[in-house]
Amino acid sequence: MTRWMRHLTYGLGILIVVVAGALAAAIAFDSPSAPPVLAAGNTIPGIAQWNFAELPKAQSVKARDGAPLNYRLYPGRADRAIVLVHGSTGSGTEMLKLAQALQAAGATVYAISLRGHGGSGTRNGDVSYRGQLDDDLADLVKGVGIDKQGIHRTLAGFSSGGGFVLRVAGGPQAGLFDDYLAISPYIGPDSPTSKPDSGGWAGVALPRIVALSLLDGIGLPWFQGLPAIHFATQAKADDRRTPVYSFRLMASLQLGMDWRAVLARIKAPTQIVVGADDELFHADQFQPMMQAINPRIGVTVVPGHGHLGMIADPAAVSAVAAAWRRMADR
């Protein structure tokens, strides 16, 4: 071996060690910090006045791994089913007012708690592998019996749950539902709709996320149960709240780095509804962005409403229900 080849080999070896060390340090020592509490993402307007006696009893079906998948049922028309997904840190409980509005519009609503939230799954803030939420969704549809012919199925979701709705609509399980409704959806950190750190709602362990993404990209799904996001809430982890997400839960919810391609693949009827005064997202950017990427996706901006108001304020939830009716009645 010539001298220059030995030098090159040594240099590459040193580079590999340095890179491996940097990745290991990012994974081991970086962690998401808790941002200051953000009321616009943490506190639902008017929730203190809600009558929780109206909240349906929690029910569950078993996922393929035997874990419980919890939901609350709002009965309506047997041939119109909506699976309703909550936002980040929440559970099906907080969807009470929106579920009631959709029920009043004629739907049977299943307000679910995603795995890692609201007692679903086995660990608060975590899943067992990337993509498990997609498998859970298929298990839930079958488990509650809405996989039958003659039932019009809608997947609806709010905030991070709205992003999950769009992920499913543009993914391999798009055929599970007839149409999709995304309320104030999170698209991605580099989307023109996103304010920095989602308006202060998310504290992100960026070096850890980058390192784990690189490992995942070469087929090594290691250490993905480590925390990746801490949301701007003082809430503790329990059956109502999930303040911290693991890397694999975060990745299972989001559209991913290729979010433009995911949105472009959506073919089923899909509507986005967002409040004009959203504190986490740029509401005025949804329409031009969708027009450029996939003009089949409709956008409705509701004047005078912020982020959490879209699942709580009577006028806002009525606007969401009206958007569903227009889509479902086509």
Side-chain angles (χ1 to χ4, degrees), residues 48-254:
Q49 285 73 49
W50 288 13
N51 180 9
F52 281 100
E54 300 173 355
L55 188 70
K57 179 183 176 182
Q59 303 181 55
S60 70
V61 296
K62 285 189 176 182
R64 63 193 65 185
D65 66 345
L69 302 175
N70 297 336
Y71 67 94
R72 297 180 188 272
L73 175 62
Y74 298 78
R77 283 179 54 172
D79 62 340
R80 294 285 178 92
I82 297 177
V83 174
L84 182 60
V85 185
H86 55 83
S88 54
T89 81
S91 69
T93 300
E94 70 186 34
M95 306 307 284
L96 172 63
K97 294 301 180 182
L98 179 55
Q100 288 177 328
L102 292 166
Q103 179 187 36
T108 292
V109 182
Y110 299 82
I112 69 172
S113 292
L114 294 170
R115 182 183 292 257
H117 306 74
S120 289
T122 57
R123 294 177 300 280
N124 187 282
D126 195 17
V127 295
S128 298
Y129 55 87
R130 286 188 66 171
Q132 191 171 28
L133 297 183
D134 300 67
D135 292 341
D136 286 348
L137 193 60
D139 294 344
L140 184 130
V141 166
K142 183 176 181 180
V144 300
I146 58 172
D147 56 334
K148 308 297 189 295
Q149 287 188 352
I151 298 177
H152 183 103
R153 293 179 294 275
T154 301
L155 182 62
F158 168 68
S159 197
S160 289
F164 177 65
V165 164
L166 296 173
R167 167 192 167 92
V168 174
Q173 299 212 84
L176 272 177
F177 296 89
D178 297 289
D179 45 40
Y180 294 86
L181 178 62
I183 305 135
S184 308
Y186 174 71
I187 305 296
D190 59 336
S191 166
T193 59
S194 292
K195 296 180 180 179
D197 297 323
S198 296
W201 176 233
V204 180
L206 186 58
R208 174 177 283 176
I209 290 171
V210 171
L212 293 175
S213 297
L214 289 172
L215 286 180
D216 191 69
I218 59 174
L220 300 175
W222 297 345
F223 313 114
Q224 293 189 359
L226 290 172
I229 299 180
H230 196 305
F231 294 98
T233 176
Q234 291 177 328
K236 304 301 181 184
D238 58 23
D239 284 352
R240 288 282 301 274
R241 300 301 296 274
T242 304
V244 179
Y245 283 6
S246 70
F247 173 85
R248 58 195 174 199
L249 175 57
M250 175 201 75
S252 295
L253 268 169
Q254 295 181 1

Side-chain angles (χ1 to χ4, degrees), residues 265-277:
R265 286 197 297 267
I266 296 175
K267 294 184 174 60
T270 301
Q271 291 288 319
I272 291 173
V273 184
V274 60
D277 301 331

